[in-house]
Amino acid sequence: MKMTIMLMVWAFLLTHGIAFAHGGEKHGTNHSDAQMDRFHKMMPMYAQVQAKINEALEKGDTSAVEAEAEKILATIPDLKKSKPHKNLKKIATFKKIADAFGADVTATAGMAKKGDLAGARTSFRKAEERCNECHAKFRD
Ligand code: HEC
């Protein structure tokens, strides 16, 4: 008898607990919908820019490298405000990687501006490693 009541209480808490948690989660996503939207548009843009930078590096077109790198740089403040779906509790690491990524892309643009093709290439390789590092930890 005692056991049955305990089970019923437990079942009640479980279903309502889930309902509460779900409500909270939905509320949270509503708040950051616009941010999430920008984050989801950012990534395919990054992939396009990555292809263009690599093409420009191949051709030795440093001004194109710089112009493309600037497109990523314009999004870095937004990237740092974004939240991944996966591993959200490690948001500090996410921000750290985003910072390092921003620094590598800044270096890429700076080298390209100086006409230092080898330097730009080295910096952009580092930036690409950040893409992979972040995806390994935070992409579903
Ligand atoms: C600070 C973290 C971080 C960095 C840096 C990062 N990404 Fe992402 N990327 C993510 C996350 C998280 C997702 C999964 C999106 C989600 O949670 O819905 C993602 C998804 C993607 C996707 C899939 C797009 C989609 O619509 O799902 C592509 C393509 C992509 N990233 C490309 C890149 C490229 C290229 C770079 C580097 C030039 C890069 N990303 C740098 C975190 C990052």
Side-chain angles (χ1 to χ4, degrees), residues 26 37 58-59 78 84 87 106 121 123 131 133 139:
K26 219 176 153 199
D37 211 46
E58 202 119 309
K59 282 196 219 149
D78 241 4
N87 257 337
T106 302
R121 186 175 289 127
S123 299
C131 314
E133 189 186 353
R139 189 155 71 174

Side-chain angles (χ1 to χ4, degrees), residues 36 39-40 43-44 46-48 50 72 79 83-86 93-95 97-98 101 105 124 127-128 130-132 134-135 138-140:
M36 201 43 112
F39 180 45
H40 282 150
M43 289 300 153
Y46 281 8
Q48 278 178 1
Q50 179 186 34
I72 293 183
L79 176 66
K83 291 187 179 78
H85 300 288
K86 194 179 143 187
T93 307
F94 182 87
K95 290 207 176 100
I97 299 174
F101 176 66
V105 179
F124 194 61
E128 287 178 316
R130 308 290 182 190
C131 314
N132 299 337
C134 198
H135 293 158
F138 298 103
R139 189 155 71 174
D140 306 297

